[in-house]
Amino acid sequence: MRLQDIAGLLFVWTLHGVNVSGWPAPEALPKAKELWMSTAEATVPPAGIPSNYPLNPARRAQPPSGVHVLSPKGHPYSNEQDGRADFNHIADVGQLAAGYEKRAPVLQGVTPVLDPNQPSQLEGQGSLVFKSQANSYKPNANLFDANVLTTPLPTNRWWLNLMVEKGADPIHPYPYLVKCAGNSSSIGFPKFSSTAQSVTSDQVIDWQVGDGGGQLTKRLVTGTDALGVQVTWTGSGAAQMNARFYKGMAFQTFEMKQMTPLLQTDHAILSVEPLAHTVLSAREHISQVVRDVADMPALSRVKLNNGAEWLVASKPAIQWKQTGGRLTGQAQYTGFVQLAHLGDKPDANINVLQQYAGTYATAGSVTYAKVEGSGDARSARIILLYKTNTDADGDTNHVYSTRSVSTTMQLLSFVLPHHVDRLDSKSLLNPGLSGYRSAKGPLTAISGNFISYKQELQPVDFAGSNAITDADKARIQSQLAKDITQVDVTATDPYFFGKGVARIARLLQIAQEVGDTASASKLQTQVAALLKPWLVTQSNSDPLVYDTLWGGIVSTVGLNDPSADYGQGRYNDHHFHYGYFLYAAAVLAKYDINSFAPLKEGANQLLRDYANPSMMDKQFPYMRHFDPYDGHSWAAGLFTFGDGRNQESTGEAINAYYAAYLYAKAMGFQETADFYEIVLNMEAASARRYWHPTRAQAKELYGEAFTHNVVGILWSSKADYATFFGANTEYIYGIQMIPFTPATKMLITQDWVKDAWCSGQGACPDGMKTAAAQANKNGWAQFLYTAYSVVDRNAALDNALSCKPDDGNSLTNALHWILTSGQATNNL
């Protein structure tokens, strides 16, 4: 991102793709420059598809049984496609609007690690290595503004349900659930319940927001940025409605133009109580950001018979008329309406919420700041920054008059547990709000237009973290001599081929570490030979092709069959699949740059497919899978689910960004490597927090009823102790670890493994120790025993080496990992 010099202060603002059509658009920014943008993601199966459909499925060592075929409906372009062929993903951005720089001191001195508004170091020659072909699954052009969103289209953002199939499944801007129909938007406040096996939400809808005059007939996605999405409703006449959905917002806001505001509910409305603003004393308003009463929205407290209470704000004031379950405002209204749930303590929460009514986000950006510190004490700074409707009003610290009200003009939002853990300043947290949560646990209110926190960076490189003794080198070399005789890879699909070639690349890396130059030379030749048909000649049986409709690299078989190659052609799990390719490419590039040279452009383009660091790239979307608010990736691709997005294999997600980091290092792309190192650590930190909690931490996040210390699949609105390919305990643990590389130690902490092994806790039928024994010396058992080496290396060695490896692993790698990442002393 660019560093702007405003009033002598260093301040970062980058608007990621706010190119919005329709009224009202975000405030115009001066000195505009062209900037490309992107965003997306989804969780409950379409009608007729079983809930256990294995989207991330049987790509594992043991294929699942009873795999159901998902056949998404095609969406032929409508007759309205004329004029939409030349989609324009370029956004106008520039310096800050008036008043926005007032928060500059908070961000003074922040230097972005990478400028995403410049071409990527990965773009190379620019021309595509892979043949081009149009995907048989077409975007539904009736769901997005073709003048705003063009190829490359987002495929995995958290709000992708708005653009897939009929666009009817919900999105989850915590703490709310939102659906968008052609004439309205529906809002619910999910209530979560826990069992021993899962955390689920009821997804009840409380309100439908629309036009009482019936003029709204069509809705489109009209803009996106790094953190959210804009939706606009139009119809007959001049009536329009606009909403911007961001995660964590306390209020859901709808801007309206020349329409009749309508709030409709299926529940009985018990009362509608207009509220008066509380006037501050002179002493109180000295230190607060305040506004005149006339500048404030009108407020009403609405109670429903299902126990829900909501705060409704409007500006200009709406005199709501109640008719049954309908609240109707005046005709030809132009202004905005906001709704906020009052949580579990309405009387206390409403006193906080009304102070922030009237302020809402109009754009969002993310800054990944340069690394600070040295050695093991390094950290990066992550800043989620929101532009609001009040920023264009000028100085937000101005006291307008002595007739002031308790309103800050600051944004009120919620942060997740991993944000709270590492906030730069917890003074902005507002403990006065309670009863708000997400599938990831409790939400904490925070005031201010940014979320800034430090991300610790764990050191990781090609080699393991522990030095290898001469005796250990001899042992590794002995096993390597056996495994090097089995370096063929016969799999033809991208996932299993990727696992296979990465297994050979691990042997190459290990051979280099132990000084076995003869084996290393042979393995370098083999890795290059395996990658060439995929990345250069496209002579393998399932060639990769560039998808001209969505903008990405997919397999030929997957391009035409949604169930083939594990949803590859629908952008499911690309970071899992291509992370293996990039790991092999990184190791080859490090040790044999001459052999790697012909593969470079193909490898660059695979990396741009799943982790493109540039918003200027017109062939691939920016960071296809990564969600900067949640701090981790989403999988699932172009499959729509009512529970939102999901991710199962945190181990493979870690591997994807580890491979990207190593590759950028091997190629000498330092800024790009710095960026990937930050993303890698964010992914690992969120995995540890939400997928790998101790049992005590799990109860904090998922409730007392949840009895496990691992989550198999985490969705936008639920958490499952399960996998897509089986319910065995070893699968649930193992899929959170594979593949074992030096980066896996970022995931597998000693405290977590002790807790999972149930050390000293007596019988533990759901623990790793029991699961490893029941797995009966197969590849899954080996993963669990290998993980146990962070507790007791000696005990882990014999057990792990007596197991038959998974097809993406080897005995050499298991031995090496235990010796270089394990704990030599017995801590039990």
Side-chain angles (χ1 to χ4, degrees):
M1 297 181 182
R2 284 187 55 174
L3 200 61
Q4 304 287 355
D5 185 0
I6 300 174
L9 296 173
L10 289 174
F11 176 75
V12 176
W13 164 254
T14 304
L15 186 60
H16 292 184
V18 180
N19 183 6
V20 182
S21 65
W23 180 95
E27 289 78 7
L29 300 177
K31 298 183 181 179
K33 62 174 283 188
E34 287 193 334
L35 169 67
W36 179 88
M37 79 348 123
S38 166
T39 15
E41 300 279 343
T43 343
V44 199
I49 302 302
S51 61
N52 64 347
Y53 174 74
L55 275 185
N56 301 19
R59 322 149 308 182
R60 318 303 180 198
Q62 298 176 351
S65 59
V67 175
H68 299 276
V69 176
L70 182 62
S71 300
K73 297 178 181 179
H75 288 289
Y77 287 102
S78 69
N79 294 331
E80 298 178 358
Q81 74 178 37
D82 293 339
R84 300 186 179 207
D86 296 325
F87 288 172
N88 180 7
H89 226 145
I90 305 299
D92 293 329
V93 295
Q95 293 183 348
L96 309 178
Y100 206 69
E101 68 274 14
K102 300 300 179 182
R103 289 181 301 283
V106 179
L107 305 179
Q108 185 175 5
V110 170
T111 306
V113 70
L114 181 73
D115 185 354
N117 309 325
Q118 297 298 323
S120 166
Q121 294 174 299
L122 302 172
E123 288 191 30
Q125 63 188 28
S127 61
L128 289 167
V129 169
F130 305 97
K131 295 178 181 178
S132 296
Q133 186 176 339
N135 203 311
S136 61
Y137 184 64
K138 297 181 180 180
N140 185 346
N142 294 316
L143 296 178
F144 59 92
D145 189 319
N147 295 311
V148 175
L149 299 181
T150 183
T151 304
L153 289 166
T155 60
N156 290 72
R157 297 298 176 196
W158 66 267
W159 48 262
L160 189 69
N161 277 0
L162 296 175
M163 285 181 58
V164 178
E165 297 294 329
K166 295 181 180 180
D169 278 318
I171 60 174
H172 300 83
Y174 322 136
Y176 300 103
L177 171 150
V178 169
K179 292 184 177 181
C180 294
N183 63 353
S184 62
S185 179
S186 299
I187 302 175
F189 184 76
K191 294 180 180 178
F192 291 84
S193 58
S194 300
T195 69
Q197 302 297 104
S198 65
V199 178
T200 58
S201 58
D202 57 12
Q203 302 198 3
V204 171
I205 294 295
D206 278 350
W207 292 106
Q208 195 174 15
V209 182
D211 176 24
Q215 297 182 78
L216 299 181
T217 59
K218 183 177 183 178
R219 68 91 172 165
L220 296 173
V221 171
T222 51
T224 75
D225 59 37
L227 296 175
V229 61
Q230 176 170 293
V231 179
T232 301
W233 288 261
T234 57
S236 59
Q240 290 190 17
M241 185 169 75
N242 188 79
R244 301 174 183 91
F245 299 112
Y246 293 97
K247 290 182 179 178
M249 296 297 114
F251 290 89
Q252 292 298 300
T253 305
F254 297 87
E255 298 164 317
M256 300 177 176
K257 179 184 179 183
Q258 296 187 35
M259 55 177 278
T260 304
L262 172 64
L263 304 182
Q264 185 169 342
T265 179
D266 291 336
H267 310 292
I269 298 176
L270 299 182
S271 64
V272 180
E273 176 190 355
L275 301 178
H277 293 293
T278 303
V279 178
L280 294 176
S281 68
R283 174 181 295 180
E284 288 173 318
H285 75 64
I286 288 175
S287 61
Q288 288 192 253
V289 184
V290 294
R291 282 185 286 185
D292 190 273
V293 171
D295 190 52
M296 288 299 300
L299 304 175
S300 296
R301 180 175 180 172
V302 182
K303 297 182 180 180
L304 305 179
N305 72 339
N306 66 343
E309 295 192 43
W310 291 77
L311 178 64
V312 178
S314 60
K315 183 184 175 184
I318 296 175
Q319 303 301 318
W320 296 105
K321 177 182 179 182
Q322 181 185 349
T323 307
R326 295 163 60 96
L327 297 178
T328 307
Q330 58 264 37
Q332 298 298 304
Y333 176 80
T334 295
F336 65 79
V337 174
Q338 294 182 300
L339 295 94
H341 195 277
L342 297 186
D344 64 348
K345 296 180 179 178
D347 292 339
N349 289 341
I350 197 169
N351 292 329
V352 177
L353 285 164
Q354 65 177 327
Q355 298 178 37
Y356 296 88
T359 301
Y360 55 91
T362 59
S365 70
V366 183
T367 295
Y368 303 89
K370 279 193 178 296
V371 174
E372 301 171 356
S374 60
D376 293 343
R378 297 165 62 247
S379 65
R381 196 173 180 192
I382 313 302
I383 302 169
L384 311 180
L385 182 64
Y386 299 94
K387 184 178 184 296
T388 73
N389 60 310
T390 63
D391 292 319
D393 294 338
D395 188 347
T396 58
N397 290 305
H398 178 66
V399 177
Y400 287 92
S401 75
T402 57
R403 193 164 57 92
S404 302
V405 297
S406 54
T407 300
T408 68
M409 289 183 74
Q410 292 295 300
L411 193 65
L412 182 66
S413 61
F414 293 98
V415 288
L416 290 165
H418 79 278
H419 297 133
V420 177
D421 294 343
R422 303 190 294 276
L423 283 174
D424 287 345
S425 174
K426 296 188 178 181
S427 64
L428 298 175
L429 292 175
N430 193 325
L433 285 178
S434 68
Y436 301 87
R437 68 157 296 152
S438 71
K440 290 184 171 72
L443 296 170
T444 306
I446 188 170
S447 60
N449 298 14
F450 61 91
I451 301 167
S452 178
Y453 66 94
K454 286 191 175 181
Q455 174 61 63
E456 293 181 359
L457 302 180
Q458 295 188 32
V460 66
D461 210 327
F462 283 89
S465 57
N466 298 342
I468 309 175
T469 66
D470 290 341
D472 287 343
K473 283 184 180 180
R475 190 172 182 181
I476 292 172
Q477 286 175 327
S478 176
Q479 184 60 54
L480 178 63
K482 300 173 185 177
D483 287 341
I484 202 173
T485 64
Q486 303 174 14
V487 291
D488 290 333
V489 180
T490 59
T492 59
D493 67 278
Y495 178 74
F496 279 108
F497 171 81
K499 288 182 70 173
V501 73
R503 172 174 58 85
I504 309 307
R506 282 295 300 146
L507 295 177
L508 168 55
Q509 171 62 37
I510 294 167
Q512 292 285 358
E513 286 183 50
V514 299
D516 188 344
T517 56
S519 295
S521 178
K522 178 180 179 180
L523 290 164
Q524 286 167 193
T525 301
Q526 181 67 0
V527 170
L530 287 168
L531 289 175
K532 184 178 180 180
W534 288 83
L535 300 184
V536 181
T537 63
Q538 287 83 56
S539 57
N540 57 302
S541 61
D542 187 10
L544 299 175
V545 297
Y546 177 77
D547 172 12
T548 58
L549 271 182
W550 292 92
I553 297 169
V554 297
S555 67
T556 299
V557 174
L559 194 66
N560 299 301
D561 182 352
S563 64
D565 295 345
Y566 315 111
Q568 233 274 345
R570 303 299 182 270
Y571 295 93
N572 181 52
D573 294 357
H574 274 207
H575 56 326
F576 299 165
H577 297 189
Y578 296 152
Y580 286 113
F581 281 75
L582 262 295
Y583 177 79
V587 174
L588 183 63
K590 178 176 176 61
Y591 295 113
D592 190 358
I593 194 64
N594 292 329
S595 295
F596 174 73
L599 308 171
K600 176 183 174 181
E601 291 301 328
N604 283 353
Q605 288 165 27
L606 274 194
L607 182 51
R608 286 163 63 197
D609 174 90
Y610 78 82
N612 174 25
S614 172
M615 291 185 173
M616 295 295 291
D617 197 321
K618 297 182 180 180
Q619 294 169 323
F620 301 95
Y622 177 75
M623 297 299 290
R624 187 183 299 279
H625 297 272
F626 193 71
D627 184 329
Y629 178 89
D630 285 85
H632 64 76
S633 298
W634 297 110
L638 302 175
F639 298 99
T640 179
F641 300 100
D643 288 322
R645 299 285 90 191
N646 73 74
Q647 181 160 271
E648 179 186 52
S649 179
T650 54
E652 289 175 312
I654 296 298
N655 183 62
Y657 301 115
Y658 173 57
Y661 169 62
L662 295 183
Y663 182 78
K665 283 191 67 175
M667 299 305 298
F669 301 153
Q670 189 57 52
E671 287 185 353
T672 305
D674 290 343
F675 170 72
Y676 287 141
E677 183 184 23
I678 295 172
V679 173
L680 166 62
N681 278 270
M682 291 174 70
E683 187 84 37
S686 287
R688 292 191 302 269
R689 193 68 166 96
Y690 303 120
W691 280 264
H692 295 205
T694 62
R695 283 178 172 78
Q697 292 168 339
K699 291 184 182 301
E700 168 209 340
L701 297 176
Y702 305 123
E704 290 292 329
F706 191 79
T707 59
H708 308 287
N709 76 334
V710 64
V711 170
I713 311 168
L714 188 59
W715 307 75
S716 299
S717 63
K718 69 175 181 178
D720 285 329
Y721 178 74
T723 74
F724 285 116
F725 56 96
N728 291 17
T729 303
E730 66 268 23
Y731 299 168
I732 300 169
Y733 278 109
I735 200 60
Q736 304 309 329
M737 303 175 186
I738 67 169
F740 274 80
T741 70
T744 311
K745 197 172 182 180
M746 302 172 73
L747 276 177
I748 301 174
T749 66
Q750 189 178 90
D751 287 345
W752 179 69
V753 174
K754 282 183 178 181
D755 189 73
W757 211 262
C758 299
S759 302
Q761 299 180 27
C764 189
D766 66 333
M768 285 174 59
K769 182 177 182 179
T770 302
Q774 291 175 346
N776 195 25
K777 304 299 183 181
N778 66 10
W780 295 101
Q782 186 180 65
F783 296 143
L784 306 192
Y785 286 127
T786 303
Y788 186 65
S789 68
V790 300
V791 175
D792 186 347
R793 189 176 85 173
N794 295 330
L797 267 173
D798 290 341
N799 282 313
L801 297 183
S802 65
C803 297
K804 181 180 180 181
D806 170 73
D807 55 1
N809 200 14
S810 66
L811 288 176
T812 300
N813 187 52
L815 175 62
H816 175 271
W817 200 92
I818 293 170
L819 294 176
T820 60
S821 297
Q823 173 58 256
T825 58
N826 189 338
N827 291 330
L828 297 182

